[in-house]
């Protein structure tokens, strides 16, 4: 079993930055692609970014390209999402997700992931 716990959310003004962390515990060796999703009130959960098992490949949704960076630290069993130049539209609950088997990259839909964190709120004020 794998547990994912997000942290680093909070409130920030437009143009500011937040760094989200996703700490994994349990059978971390079973984690392959890791991803970040987000969900705003009244909206569907949407893909944000993912990173391959090797860490060599990353993929982002168009709306965050150039502003967000996903990375992973194997020694710490942690995945990060650095969010810069934040906009009010980025306000959402951010979820960390992990896939337990290999797959073609990228994986951009929720049903391609097996493990989920409970989310962390990021609020961007204008």
């Amino acid at each position: 079993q794998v547990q994912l716990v997000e942290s680093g959310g909070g409130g920030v003004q437009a143009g500011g930055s937040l760094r989200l962390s996703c700490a994994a515990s349990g059978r971390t060796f079973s984690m392959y692609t890791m991803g970040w999703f987000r969900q705003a009130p009244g909206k569907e959960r949407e893909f944000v970014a993912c990173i391959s098992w090797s860490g060599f490949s990353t993929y982002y949704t168009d709306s965050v390209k150039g502003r967000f960076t996903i990375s992973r630290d194997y020694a710490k069993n942690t995945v990060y999402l650095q969010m810069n130049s934040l906009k009010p539209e980025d306000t959402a609950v951010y979820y960390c997700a992990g896939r337990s088997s290999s797959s073609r990259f990228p994986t951009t839909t929720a049903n391609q992931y097996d493990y989920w964190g409970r989310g962390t709120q990021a609020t961007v004020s204008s």
Side-chain angles (χ1 to χ4, degrees), residues 5-50:
V5 180
E6 304 94 336
S7 63
V12 65
Q13 293 185 326
S17 299
L18 285 173
R19 189 191 190 193
L20 306 184
S21 298
C22 173
S25 61
R27 296 185 291 105
T28 57
F29 55 83
S30 69
M31 292 291 95
Y32 289 82
T33 298
M34 299 293 295
W36 285 95
F37 289 75
R38 66 186 181 185
Q39 186 167 23
K43 296 184 178 180
E44 296 182 348
R45 181 168 51 185
E46 67 172 342
F47 169 80
V48 177
C50 62

Side-chain angles (χ1 to χ4, degrees), residues 11-93:
V12 65
Q13 293 185 326
S17 299
L18 285 173
R19 189 191 190 193
L20 306 184
S21 298
C22 173
S25 61
R27 296 185 291 105
T28 57
F29 55 83
S30 69
M31 292 291 95
Y32 289 82
T33 298
M34 299 293 295
W36 285 95
F37 289 75
R38 66 186 181 185
Q39 186 167 23
K43 296 184 178 180
E44 296 182 348
R45 181 168 51 185
E46 67 172 342
F47 169 80
V48 177
C50 62
I51 186 167
S52 66
W53 179 88
S54 67
F56 294 157
S57 299
T58 58
Y59 185 82
Y60 303 88
T61 191
D62 287 343
S63 64
V64 308
K65 287 181 179 178
R67 300 189 298 121
F68 291 10
T69 302
I70 187 172
S71 61
R72 66 194 305 172
D73 186 331
Y74 292 97
K76 296 182 178 180
N77 292 318
T78 301
V79 178
Y80 303 96
L81 185 68
Q82 178 67 47
M83 307 189 295
N84 298 328
S85 301
L86 285 164
K87 306 174 181 179
E89 306 92 276
D90 296 317
T91 294
V93 175

